[in-house]
Amino acid sequence: MSDLFRFSGAVRRHPEVEAWFSSDAPTRRVAEHWFARLRSLGEDVRELLHDGHPTACVDDAAFAYVDAFNAHVNIGFYRGALLDDPAGLLEGAGKRMRHVKVRWGAPLDEHALQALLVAAHAHMRSQVDAEA
């Protein structure tokens, strides 16, 4: 049995995700920027709205999500505990999940965050391929 978090409803562009980003909330603009980067990681990236926030999948296996709050945006990784994080961006203490908080007015190492996005996608791609 797979321990990947899979969604049969993940599609290339999901209308509920588009609707989520249609809000005027400024943090949603920040979240949309980072979700666009997730979308750009490959032709295998699919999406859906899960637990009220945009979730990116490799095929049908979730690897990342974004969520917007009043003072910050979370970029979460379903297998974040397994990612190399030399810049120390990841937060959380769960068995698998980690997230990065993008805070208003706080410096952000965008290159390190982009590297985490790429690593999360590559890791999930390898996991999906291993189960095929």
Side-chain angles (χ1 to χ4, degrees):
M1 183 171 142
S2 173
D3 69 343
L4 300 180
F5 199 23
R6 294 186 177 264
F7 294 103
S8 61
V11 297
R12 186 77 176 132
R13 290 275 196 249
H14 201 288
E16 289 179 353
V17 171
E18 295 300 327
W20 192 89
F21 286 122
S22 71
S23 165
D24 289 336
T27 54
R28 295 244 179 141
R29 300 287 65 79
V30 174
E32 185 174 31
H33 167 78
W34 288 103
F35 201 75
R37 289 192 178 195
L38 290 167
R39 285 172 166 161
S40 73
L41 293 173
E43 290 296 316
D44 59 352
V45 176
R46 304 290 181 264
E47 65 188 47
L48 72 157
L49 203 65
H50 171 67
D51 282 348
H53 52 263
T55 300
C57 302
V58 169
D59 298 334
D60 65 347
F63 75 96
Y65 68 89
V66 298
D67 204 356
F69 301 90
N70 288 334
H72 71 276
V73 167
N74 276 0
I75 302 161
F77 302 94
Y78 286 90
R79 297 285 180 107
L82 302 175
L83 299 176
D84 186 31
D85 180 26
L89 297 179
L90 292 170
E91 298 182 30
K95 184 177 179 181
R96 291 192 178 101
M97 294 183 72
R98 298 286 186 276
H99 64 276
V100 173
K101 283 187 181 172
V102 178
R103 294 176 176 90
W104 290 118
L108 175 65
D109 186 338
E110 291 195 27
H111 295 295
L113 181 49
Q114 180 66 29
L116 287 172
L117 301 181
V118 170
H121 175 263
H123 175 76
M124 189 55 67
R125 176 79 265 159
S126 71
Q127 296 298 296
V128 169
D129 290 347
E131 288 190 359

